[in-house]
Amino acid sequence: MMKKLIIFLFLVTLFACDDNEINNCGTNNPLNDIAWLKELKSEFNNSKDLTKRRITQYNYKGNSVFMVEDCRDCSHRIAIVYDCDKNEICLFGGYANNNTCPDFYEQATNKKILWEN
């Protein structure tokens, strides 16, 4: 009986833990609970121009990260990926066609659009 219980608990733990659901920022609502994201969202919401913008959350190399695109329809758009503390992790696009994380789109999982206009 004890052996069956141990196997059952192991299976429950195994399937209950999904490595793709990493959120190490300490919040389930980053747009309201992470100060710099909250401020950025407010700036985007209050902007008078019609530029297309987006904030997307991913899991990348075991960490929650946020891609900020502040001009999605610009020909030389820049996308910056930040960690929870707003440290730059990756830079994409621009006139120099930057790509500081060539493995990002293969390694990034759990894409979740947090805000867009």
Side-chain angles (χ1 to χ4, degrees):
M1 181 67 169
M2 182 63 105
K3 186 176 180 180
K4 288 181 182 180
L5 180 61
I6 291 172
I7 291 171
F8 173 76
L9 290 175
F10 172 77
L11 291 174
V12 167
T13 304
L14 180 67
F15 290 106
C17 296
D18 184 355
D19 289 339
N20 291 328
E21 292 296 328
I22 296 167
N23 185 347
N24 59 354
C25 294
T27 177
N28 290 322
N29 192 352
L31 283 181
N32 289 326
D33 297 336
I34 298 175
W36 70 269
L37 279 172
K38 185 175 183 176
E39 183 178 323
L40 184 65
K41 177 184 138 187
S42 179
E43 288 174 21
F44 285 175
N45 278 332
N46 293 327
S47 177
K48 303 262 189 253
D49 67 45
L50 300 175
T51 302
K52 294 288 185 187
R53 298 178 167 109
R54 180 171 35 211
I55 302 170
T56 308
Q57 182 176 6
Y58 294 91
N59 292 327
Y60 178 62
K61 295 186 176 180
N63 295 299
S64 294
V65 296
F66 304 92
M67 178 179 282
V68 176
E69 300 168 90
D70 63 357
C71 189
R72 289 188 297 136
D73 32 352
C74 298
S75 61
H76 292 287
R77 72 177 185 90
I78 291 179
I80 302 174
V81 177
Y82 297 99
D83 67 9
C84 301
D85 297 320
K86 201 180 179 186
N87 297 306
E88 185 178 305
I89 305 299
C90 305
L91 175 67
F92 300 102
Y95 289 105
N97 200 22
N98 296 293
N99 183 354
T100 60
C101 295
D103 67 340
F104 183 80
Y105 291 104
E106 291 82 31
Q107 296 291 320
T109 59
N110 292 339
K111 177 180 178 179
K112 181 179 178 185
I113 296 173
L114 300 178
W115 183 92
E116 69 180 337
N117 62 349

